Amino acid sequence: MGLRKRKSIKHHGKSLVEILEAHERFFNGQEGGARADLTGADLANADLSGVNLTGAILRNANFTGCDLRKAKLPGADLSGASLRRADLGNTDMTEAILSGADLTEAQASGVEFFRCDLSHANFQRARLRNVNLRLANVQGAKFSGADMGVAILRETDLTGADLSGVDLSTTLMPKGYSQAQAAKKSA
C-alpha cells in the first residue's frame, strides 16, 4: 500500500492542498494567507515530503508512517503529535515544539533539532544519525535503543533524559559527559 496523496486528505472539511497553499501565502506575507492549523489531523501514511509547515500548529496530529523528508517545520508546534515510524530524513525542525511527541522508530537522520523543545518526547529505537540536538530541551525524553551515531549533543543539558542502550561512542557529547554517566542516570 502506497502513501496517501495530499489531495485526498481533508481536515475540518478543507482539503490539505488548500490548507498548505494558504499556509504558503501566510508564510510569504501574501494576501489570503492563513497559518496552517492541523491540530488533531489524521495525516497517517501521507506523502508530505518537502512540505513547508514553518510555524504551523500541528498539536496531537497523527503523522504515523508519514514521509516528511526534507520538510520545513521550524517553529512548528508538534506537541503530543504521533510521528511513529515517520521518515523525517533531513527535515528542519529548528525551534519546533515536540513536547510529549512520539517518535518511536522514526527515521530521523540528518534532522535539525537545534533549540527544540523535546521534553518528554519518545525516541525509542529511532534512527537519529547526524542530528543536531544543540541547546534542545530533552528533559524526560526517552532515547533508549536509539541509533545516535555522530549526533551532536554539545551544549545540551541531558539531565533527566533516558539514554539507556544507546551507543554514544561517536556522539558529540557535552564537555565532561561520559557514557558511564548516561548509564548511571538511566538506571
Side-chain angles (χ1 to χ4, degrees):
M1 192 160 123
L3 292 172
R4 292 166 57 202
K5 303 281 185 235
R6 295 173 199 179
K7 64 184 176 188
S8 69
I9 301 170
K10 291 200 178 295
H11 180 65
H12 294 310
K14 279 189 175 173
S15 86
L16 181 58
V17 172
E18 286 177 84
I19 294 168
L20 294 174
E21 287 172 354
H23 185 75
E24 192 67 33
R25 287 191 301 274
F26 168 81
F27 179 73
N28 291 320
Q30 297 170 336
E31 199 168 308
R35 180 189 308 266
D37 185 346
L38 293 163
T39 300
D42 181 8
L43 302 167
N45 301 307
D47 180 358
L48 299 174
S49 57
V51 71
N52 181 0
L53 285 167
T54 301
I57 303 164
L58 308 166
R59 292 182 207 112
N60 301 310
N62 182 5
F63 291 98
T64 300
C66 261
D67 181 352
L68 282 159
R69 287 175 296 167
K70 297 184 179 176
K72 294 179 181 111
L73 295 159
D77 184 352
L78 292 132
S79 52
S82 174
L83 293 140
R84 294 175 70 87
R85 297 181 310 282
D87 189 343
L88 303 164
N90 299 310
T91 297
D92 183 359
M93 292 193 163
T94 301
E95 296 182 341
I97 302 165
L98 289 118
S99 59
D102 185 357
L103 291 100
T104 302
E105 297 177 356
Q107 298 297 317
S109 293
V111 173
E112 186 65 51
F113 288 115
F114 180 63
R115 290 198 312 229
C116 277
D117 180 356
L118 305 173
S119 58
H120 305 285
N122 186 351
F123 288 96
Q124 291 177 307
R125 299 177 308 284
R127 186 168 174 89
L128 296 165
R129 298 186 71 77
N130 302 306
V131 297
N132 181 3
L133 291 155
R134 282 182 48 240
L135 300 172
N137 174 2
V138 295
Q139 178 73 34
K142 295 179 184 134
F143 293 97
S144 57
D147 179 354
M148 295 183 77
V150 199
I152 302 170
L153 291 167
R154 293 261 158 96
E155 303 172 70
T156 303
D157 181 358
L158 297 172
T159 305
D162 178 0
L163 294 162
S164 58
V166 178
D167 178 2
L168 299 170
S169 61
T170 60
T171 303
L172 297 173
M173 300 300 289
K175 285 185 181 178
Y177 202 86
S178 70
Q179 178 89 26
Q181 282 178 286
K184 266 193 270 177
K185 288 187 179 189
S186 60

